[in-house]
C-alpha cells in the first residue's frame, strides 16, 4: 500500500488499522488485562502495557467490534497512542459499549486485535451520588445554568473540566470554574431584562479564553461572551 496514502488515512482516523505503516516499525501484541469501568456517561479503561508499544483503542455499540472492522459499526470511535488509565466520556447513558485494542512499535502496522470487552452504562440518574448545598448564595434569582467542557475527558488525570455560567433576574450573569466560587459579571451595556437560559462551547480545547457563551431572555434579549465569560455584550 502506498505510504503517503496510508498516512493520509491515519490522519483522518478512518483506516482499517492493520494495513498501514508510517515507518519501518513492527506490529505488536495487544495489551493484556483490559478492564472497563462504567460511570455516568463515561467509561474508564485500564490495561497492562508493554514498554515501547503504541496502543490504539477502538469502540462501538456493536458486539462484532474488532480493531479492524470498527469503521462500519454504529457509534464507532478510534483513539491513537492511548495510555492507561484512559477516560471516554460523552457516551450515551443506558447503552452498552464494546472495546478492542491493538499495538504497534515505531510507526509500524497495527498488530492483532485484543479480545473484545464490554460494559453497559447505567441510565442517567440526577439523584445519584451526594449533593452538597453551595455555601455561596448568589444575590439574584437564577433561572438558567449552562456548562461548557474545556478539556477532552480522554486523559489520565481527570474525567472532564470546564466552566459554568448562570443567568437570572435583571440580566444577572455569573461564571464559575468549579461550581462553588462564582464571579459576578456586569454587561457592557447594562439592561434590566431577565435572562432565562445560557449555553456555551470551547472553540479550542484546553484554552479557557476560547469559551463562547450565549444567553437569552425576556423579549428576545440575547447577550454573548467571546472571551471565556469575562466580558458580556
Amino acid at each position: 500500500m502506498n505510504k503517503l496514502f496510508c498516512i493520509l488515512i491515519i490522519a483522518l482516523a478512518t483506516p482499517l488499522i492493520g494495513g498501514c505503516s508510517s515507518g519501518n516499525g513492527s506490529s505488536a501484541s495487544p495489551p493484556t488485562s483490559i478492564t472497563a469501568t462504567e460511570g455516568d456517561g463515561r467509561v474508564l479503561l485500564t490495561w497492562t502495557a508493554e514498554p515501547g508499544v503504541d496502543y490504539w483503542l477502538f469502540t462501538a455499540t456493536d458486539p462484532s467490534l474488532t480493531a479492524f472492522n470498527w469503521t462500519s459499526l454504529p457509534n464507532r470511535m478510534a483513539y491513537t497512542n492511548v495510555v492507561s488509565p484512559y477516560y471516554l466520556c460523552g457516551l450515551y447513558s443506558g447503552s452498552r459499549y464494546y472495546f478492542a485494542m491493538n499495538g504497534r512499535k515505531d510507526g509500524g502496522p497495527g498488530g492483532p486485535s485484543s479480545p473484545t470487552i464490554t460494559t453497559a452504562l447505567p441510565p442517567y440518574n440526577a439523584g445519584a451520588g451526594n449533593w452538597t448545598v453551595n455555601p455561596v448564595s448568589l444575590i439574584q434569582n437564577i433561572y438558567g445554568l449552562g456548562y461548557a467542557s474545556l478539556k477532552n475527558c480522554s486523559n489520565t488525570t481527570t474525567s472532564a473540566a470546564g466552566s459554568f455560567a448562570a443567568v437570572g433576574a435583571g440580566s444577572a450573569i455569573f461564571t464559575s470554574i468549579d461550581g462553588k466560587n462564582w464571579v459576578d459579571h456586569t454587561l457592557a451595556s447594562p439592561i434590566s431584562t431577565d435572562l432565562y437560559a445560557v449555553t456555551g462551547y470551547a472553540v479550542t480545547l484546553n484554552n479557557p479564553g476560547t469559551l463562547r457563551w450565549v444567553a437569552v431572555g425576556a423579549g428576545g434579549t440575547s447577550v454573548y461572551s467571546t472571551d471565556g465569560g469575562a466580558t458580556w455584550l
Side-chain angles (χ1 to χ4, degrees):
M1 184 178 290
N2 182 275
K3 177 179 177 181
L4 178 60
F5 181 66
C6 284
I7 294 173
L8 177 60
I9 294 176
I10 292 172
L12 295 175
T14 57
L16 294 178
I17 301 302
C20 288
S21 172
S22 59
N24 297 319
S26 60
S27 299
S29 299
T32 60
S33 304
I34 306 173
T35 65
T37 304
E38 69 278 1
D40 186 5
R42 66 180 184 177
V43 170
L44 173 62
L45 290 129
T46 62
W47 58 87
T48 301
E50 290 292 331
V53 177
D54 293 329
Y55 293 110
W56 290 23
L57 168 67
F58 308 89
T59 181
T61 52
D62 191 301
S64 67
L65 173 74
T66 71
F68 300 95
N69 71 346
W70 62 279
T71 57
S72 63
L73 302 180
N75 301 307
R76 60 197 179 274
M77 291 295 293
Y79 304 88
T80 64
N81 302 319
V82 294
V83 177
S84 178
Y86 199 76
Y87 282 101
L88 294 178
C89 63
L91 305 180
Y92 297 111
S93 296
S95 297
R96 178 169 289 278
Y97 283 83
Y98 298 84
F99 307 93
M101 300 181 68
N102 69 359
R104 72 268 303 127
K105 294 183 177 180
D106 301 321
S113 179
S114 70
T116 299
I117 66 170
T118 183
T119 189
L121 274 64
Y124 176 71
N125 180 7
N130 298 316
W131 289 79
T132 303
V133 176
N134 196 324
V136 178
S137 296
L138 304 182
I139 300 173
Q140 291 89 341
N141 290 329
I142 297 302
Y143 302 140
L145 177 67
Y147 175 79
S149 179
L150 183 57
K151 291 185 178 180
N152 189 324
C153 77
S154 299
N155 57 78
T156 60
T157 59
T158 182
S159 61
S163 180
F164 298 91
V167 298
S171 70
I173 300 175
F174 298 87
T175 59
S176 172
I177 61 172
D178 59 9
K180 298 178 182 179
N181 301 292
W182 295 83
V183 177
D184 189 355
H185 297 276
T186 301
L187 289 171
S189 299
I191 58 177
S192 59
T193 305
D194 293 345
L195 299 174
Y196 297 137
V198 60
T199 187
Y201 70 97
V203 176
T204 304
L205 292 177
N206 304 314
N207 185 345
T210 67
L211 283 176
R212 304 289 191 261
W213 292 103
V214 176
V216 295
T221 299
S222 176
V223 297
Y224 64 92
S225 172
T226 60
D227 58 4
T231 305
W232 294 76
L233 304 171

